[in-house]
Amino acid sequence: MSQFCLNFKKTMISFLWLILLTHIRWVNTADLADVSTSKVLNIFILAGQSNMSGRGGVINHGQNGLANETWDGVIPPECQSNSNILRLNAGLTWVEAQEPLHQDIDLGKICGVGPGMSFANSVLKRDPSIGVIGLVPCAIGGTNISEWARGGVLYNHMIRRTEAALQRGGKLQALLWYQGESDTETLEDAKLYRFRLKRLFKNVLRDLQSPTLPVIQVALASSIGSYMEQVRKAQLSINLPNVRTVDAKGLPLGMDFVHITTLAQVQLGQMLADTFLQTQQTTQAVLLPFQTETVTSNAPIRCSNFVMNLLLSPFR
């Protein structure tokens, strides 16, 4: 290679590094996990609707059908903060978890105590060696399972948040799912529930590249319609190999007869922890590796990828 070519190549590399450093300023910081991400070894997705988001301790002071809700602020000992329990906030940053876990996720709602903190504390108590737990809240109150279809806003939001949580490594340990009350309103939704739920679980495992990921779903304790038993039957009949079901029927309900109470959320979290720890006796959580293989794509090359390709080409 001529001296001119060598000098030109060095100049171009210096120029491209300058472009790359400038490009870093364009990167949305919400796409990057906080430095504490490296501490998170065990990641759990919390998804579904309001009873997963948490309405424990939420009181409606409204009259004549008008909502005027407040949270009583009562946090049971089983749901207290712990430096070994983190949550991924709305800005995709790891922070110490505290109730209400979904306060910046389930927007426009008054959130209270859910099962997440009780679950995490129970897991740590029974297996202190498990290390740091990272909770990824994704539940949105009042949602029908059709709104969680692959490619939809809620589904994409859940996948994006989970991928951000895993950006610096760690084990995706389980998906905790509690949803279905909204699907009890019409017979059509109740009849389609099993098909939609099964498809959802399959899509999540495929898109997260975690075919053996434990999925722990909660069978309904309440409903807002007349078809609760049809939806419960669908939930209890899911026969995917890595799906386990915790039955919430019989847990105490609040004054609205839809949302379970704070103490019921504590109990549910412990039931979820029991089921998760049982799954660990027979299967290992999947460690999502970084992709190292070369993938050929016809998609347009982004500026950052183009720059990196040029920078790395002398070393390939």
Side-chain angles (χ1 to χ4, degrees):
M1 185 179 295
S2 68
Q3 187 64 38
F4 171 80
C5 291
L6 289 173
N7 291 337
F8 177 78
K9 191 168 187 178
K10 290 178 180 178
T11 301
M12 285 300 298
I13 289 176
S14 299
F15 176 69
L16 290 172
W17 271 115
L18 180 61
I19 293 176
L20 180 61
L21 291 173
T22 303
H23 175 70
I24 291 174
R25 298 180 58 193
W26 303 341
V27 176
N28 184 350
T29 55
D31 291 336
L32 303 176
D34 184 70
V35 292
S36 59
T37 302
S38 59
K39 294 168 53 181
V40 177
L41 299 178
N42 305 278
I43 297 172
F44 297 87
I45 308 168
L46 311 178
Q49 57 182 111
S50 56
N51 271 318
M52 176 59 80
S53 171
R55 298 295 186 267
V58 174
I59 303 169
N60 186 5
H61 304 279
Q63 297 179 350
N64 301 321
L66 298 177
N68 180 21
E69 295 180 331
T70 60
W71 176 45
D72 62 16
V74 176
I75 303 176
E78 298 88 346
C79 300
Q80 295 293 327
S81 298
N82 184 318
S83 60
N84 285 323
I85 304 175
L86 306 181
R87 68 179 284 269
L88 193 72
N89 69 13
L92 304 182
T93 298
W94 287 110
V95 297
E96 186 170 310
Q98 60 181 6
E99 296 286 8
L101 284 177
H102 282 76
Q103 60 185 336
D104 59 348
I105 301 298
D106 194 4
L107 300 178
K109 322 279 176 45
I110 302 298
C111 295
V113 173
M117 287 300 293
S118 171
F119 164 81
N121 276 308
S122 183
V123 169
L124 284 174
K125 182 178 180 180
R126 294 180 55 185
D127 184 9
S129 66
I130 196 170
V132 177
I133 287 177
L135 302 175
V136 184
C138 300
I140 303 294
T143 52
N144 186 289
I145 196 169
S146 61
E147 296 177 80
W148 289 88
R150 187 172 189 245
V153 173
L154 299 182
Y155 183 90
N156 290 345
H157 183 244
M158 175 175 61
I159 297 298
R160 179 177 65 88
R161 285 179 55 74
T162 304
E163 290 175 340
L166 289 162
Q167 189 173 14
R168 296 190 183 182
K171 292 181 180 180
L172 182 58
Q173 293 277 28
L175 163 62
L176 308 184
W177 174 263
Y178 189 174
Q179 187 276 336
E181 293 92 344
S182 292
D183 292 89
T184 65
E185 290 191 277
T186 70
L187 181 59
E188 179 182 6
D189 282 341
K191 285 182 176 179
L192 289 172
Y193 192 82
R194 185 177 186 274
F195 168 76
R196 289 170 172 170
L197 182 64
K198 196 171 182 178
R199 180 177 60 183
L200 170 66
F201 290 160
K202 288 182 176 180
N203 285 338
V204 170
L205 301 190
R206 182 183 305 113
D207 289 341
L208 292 178
Q209 303 176 45
S210 303
T212 61
L213 179 71
V215 176
I216 306 175
Q217 65 158 337
V218 180
L220 294 183
S222 60
S223 70
I224 58 177
S226 303
Y227 302 101
M228 174 177 166
E229 290 307 317
Q230 286 88 335
V231 172
R232 279 180 49 81
K233 182 178 179 181
Q235 293 171 329
L236 295 169
S237 68
I238 296 295
N239 58 355
L240 296 175
N242 49 328
V243 174
R244 301 291 182 269
T245 303
V246 169
D247 196 346
K249 190 173 184 179
L251 291 179
L253 301 177
M255 295 181 65
D256 61 4
F257 300 102
V258 175
H259 298 110
I260 62 177
T261 65
T262 296
L263 293 181
Q265 289 284 16
V266 170
Q267 185 177 346
L268 177 60
Q270 293 169 344
M271 292 163 66
L272 288 166
D274 289 343
T275 303
F276 167 69
L277 292 171
Q278 289 169 10
T279 68
Q280 299 309 286
Q281 298 174 3
T282 57
T283 183
Q284 295 294 320
V286 178
L287 177 62
L288 297 183
F290 291 102
Q291 297 296 320
T292 57
E293 69 271 20
T294 301
V295 179
T296 303
S297 172
N298 294 323
I301 300 177
R302 294 175 55 189
C303 174
S304 57
N305 292 338
F306 173 73
V307 171
M308 291 305 297
N309 286 340
L310 287 174
L311 288 174
L312 294 175
S313 59
F315 306 99
R316 287 173 176 163

